[in-house]
Amino acid sequence: MTHLCSSCKQIIVNNALRKSCGSCQQIFCSKCLYQRIAVPKLNYQMQEVCTPCYHSIGTQMMLQKPPKGFTQRLEQQQPQQQQMRMSVNQIDPETKALEERLQKLRMDFPASSSTTAAAAGVANTPDDLLRQMNDELSIQNNDQNALADRLRILHETMPAATPDTVILPKPKEEVVDDDEDEEFPWCTVCNDNATKRCLDCDELFCESCVKKIHRQSSYKNHQLESYKPSAKAKKKYNY
């Protein structure tokens, strides 16, 4: 059996998505029935209700009279509040100003004042707090004066900095890596051990390759010299 949603009028195919309003008991889909409220006719149990019932019940609860016990509690609190206001207004201005001054001092020195008073066994009176504040200010001034004296003595005992007295750090010497400029002691053509250097080609050759290349007419006038690698290159490259 299919059902229609009373709100959106769509067919509810899946029974798991079918819901009934806790107040009017009409059928709704899960998208249209999602609000919860205490229903009066069900002894104020929380139920999922439709939107019209939600607004109707909410309006009724706003218009109905509050419970008798709640009204009595309000009536009892009003005389107490009025009495407290009268007692506050009856405080003389001098006492009120003293209390405001004490409150401000407690806010400015919350930890130190309470600790000193507890250690000395005296109450947190305005005079005690003022005395403590003056002591702390004097300690702070003494610390500043001591610091100024130390700086003055340091300035008097140390000589003024001049170009002759200032020693600048020496610049670091650049370390030249010989390996970067070292060439491979091999023939450019066949990678055999080189024995000749062509000054015009600026290349190294073995005996065989230098003859083959420089017998050509374009290389005959090149200047050749003997090549011997350094001892470091011989050891490093197994020359």
Side-chain angles (χ1 to χ4, degrees):
M1 181 178 180
T2 59
H3 297 275
L4 288 177
C5 176
S6 301
S7 178
C8 63
K9 306 302 180 183
Q10 292 186 0
I11 299 175
I12 305 174
V13 180
N14 190 354
N15 290 331
L17 302 178
R18 179 171 59 87
K19 294 183 178 181
S20 61
C21 175
S23 178
C24 65
Q25 303 302 322
Q26 295 186 25
I27 303 299
F28 294 90
C29 65
S30 60
K31 294 183 179 179
C32 297
L33 192 70
Y34 58 90
Q35 301 175 105
R36 295 175 60 85
I37 197 170
V39 181
K41 63 183 181 181
L42 297 179
N43 198 16
Y44 291 94
Q45 294 182 3
M46 295 297 296
Q47 297 288 333
E48 288 186 339
V49 297
C50 60
T51 302
C53 292
Y54 180 82
H55 292 296
S56 176
I57 295 173
T59 304
Q60 292 177 7
M61 295 178 65
M62 292 176 62
L63 296 177
Q64 68 182 1
K65 293 182 179 180
K68 186 177 180 179
F70 179 74
T71 307
Q72 291 178 354
R73 288 196 298 271
L74 284 179
E75 292 176 352
Q76 292 175 0
Q77 290 180 359
Q78 288 179 357
Q80 295 177 0
Q81 293 177 356
Q82 292 178 359
Q83 186 177 1
M84 291 177 62
R85 294 193 191 98
M86 291 177 62
S87 61
V88 172
N89 294 331
Q90 289 176 358
I91 298 176
D92 59 294
E94 184 178 355
T95 305
K96 187 176 181 180
L98 189 60
E99 289 183 352
E100 292 178 354
R101 180 182 174 191
L102 178 60
Q103 183 66 23
K104 186 177 184 304
L105 288 172
R106 284 174 177 169
M107 293 175 62
D108 293 339
F109 304 95
S112 58
S113 60
S114 60
T115 305
T116 306
V122 296
N124 267 344
T125 61
D127 294 334
D128 294 335
L129 293 174
L130 283 174
R131 191 181 303 109
Q132 181 181 354
M133 182 178 68
N134 292 330
D135 293 340
E136 292 180 357
L137 289 175
S138 62
I139 293 173
Q140 183 178 358
N141 292 332
N142 292 335
D143 292 341
Q144 293 178 354
N145 295 334
L147 178 60
D149 292 338
R150 289 196 295 268
L151 292 176
R152 178 179 55 80
I153 294 172
L154 184 63
H155 180 71
E156 291 176 354
T157 54
M158 288 185 63
T162 61
D164 297 333
T165 59
V166 175
I167 301 175
L168 298 177
K170 295 182 179 180
K172 295 182 178 180
E173 296 181 356
E174 295 184 359
V175 179
V176 179
D177 191 1
D178 296 335
D179 294 341
E180 294 182 358
D181 298 333
E182 186 177 353
E183 59 183 349
F184 297 112
W186 304 322
C187 175
T188 306
V189 180
C190 65
N191 287 334
D192 194 5
N193 292 338
T195 57
K196 298 290 184 180
R197 179 193 298 276
C198 178
L199 300 179
D200 295 292
C201 298
D202 194 18
E203 296 289 352
L204 296 176
F205 299 95
C206 65
E207 290 290 342
S208 177
C209 292
V210 74
K211 293 178 180 179
K212 291 178 182 178
I213 294 174
H214 288 81
R215 70 176 57 168
Q216 302 177 18
S217 59
S218 56
Y219 294 95
K220 283 184 178 181
N221 295 328
H222 285 193
Q223 296 183 3
L224 301 174
E225 67 177 9
S226 299
Y227 167 75
K228 290 184 179 181
S230 63
K232 183 178 179 181
K234 288 182 179 179
K235 183 178 180 181
K236 184 175 181 180
Y237 300 110
N238 296 324
Y239 181 82

